[in-house]
Amino acid sequence: MLGRLNHVAIVVPSLAAAAETYRSTLGATVSEPETLPEHGVTVVFVELPNTKIELLEPYGDGSPVASFLERSPGGGMHHVCYEVDDIIAARDRLKGEGARVLGDGEPKIGAHGKPVLFLHPKDFCGTLVELEQAWAPVRARIILKAAVTTGITLLLWGILFAAIEFEVFSFREIAGGYTQ
């Protein structure tokens, strides 16, 4: 069921300071900050060759990571995120086995623009687990094929209409001038 490790999330008291530490001290590539009001966080991603580190800072009242910082003022590891091929099937299977899905149990759109769910840490060795819908290669190929096919079809129709318009214009020009 589990796919690759997508990221490890670390809550920090200052996103700017943490991003600078990863950038200057460790030489990492760090994304621009992105605020996710619906999740109550501002995030940056530290790009690694095999995964990412997500740095989280509280955003707004009631941020779920604000209480984490109250308990651990210096910050620390918050969750791990694994990819799954089918987030709904994974959720249903896990619930059937007694795992607790946090929130209302419905996927929300996460920082990568994909559906995510969180699983209760007491069900997973004290670790908060995030599941993220992976883009399955087969689905990506189907989408790409459809986009290419549609694009080629539109291109061919465009060429056909341009050719017809050119022929009509040329005929009118030959037949005694273009008239409207």
Side-chain angles (χ1 to χ4, degrees):
M1 176 173 66
L2 288 183
R4 73 180 197 91
L5 174 67
N6 183 282
H7 65 268
V8 174
I10 301 172
V11 174
V12 297
S14 168
L15 195 58
E20 185 55 30
T21 297
Y22 273 86
R23 190 178 294 112
S24 63
T25 306
L26 297 173
T29 301
V30 180
S31 72
E32 291 298 314
E34 181 180 357
T35 300
L36 304 170
E38 64 279 6
H39 292 280
V41 295
T42 301
V43 304
V44 298
F45 286 96
V46 179
E47 298 294 329
L48 303 174
N50 58 345
T51 192
K52 295 179 278 299
I53 303 293
E54 179 183 45
L55 302 176
L56 302 163
E57 178 182 68
Y59 174 81
D61 295 333
S63 170
V65 299
S67 60
F68 183 94
L69 278 178
E70 289 171 9
R71 291 187 308 274
S72 302
M77 194 182 103
H78 187 259
H79 68 267
V80 294
C81 177
Y82 301 108
E83 294 179 357
V84 294
D85 285 335
D86 184 336
I87 198 163
I88 299 300
R91 176 201 62 194
D92 294 347
R93 177 177 169 216
L94 289 161
K95 285 175 75 172
E97 294 176 11
R100 291 172 278 181
V101 177
L102 299 178
D104 64 6
E106 292 302 316
K108 307 281 187 278
I109 299 302
H112 298 116
K114 299 177 190 175
V116 298
L117 289 170
F118 285 89
L119 306 173
H120 201 290
K122 289 184 179 177
D123 297 334
F124 295 95
C125 308
T127 304
L128 179 63
V129 172
E130 178 182 17
L131 299 180
E132 179 178 282
Q133 175 72 48
W135 284 103
V138 172
R139 277 187 247 146
R141 281 197 301 272
I142 290 168
I143 291 168
L144 181 59
K145 183 177 178 183
V148 168
T149 303
T150 302
I152 289 171
T153 302
L154 291 174
L155 177 64
L156 291 174
W157 277 109
I159 291 170
L160 177 63
F161 285 125
I164 290 169
E165 186 175 295
F166 177 76
E167 289 300 321
V168 168
F169 178 78
S170 296
F171 176 77
R172 286 181 181 157
E173 193 174 56
I174 293 168
Y178 179 74
T179 58
Q180 290 181 312

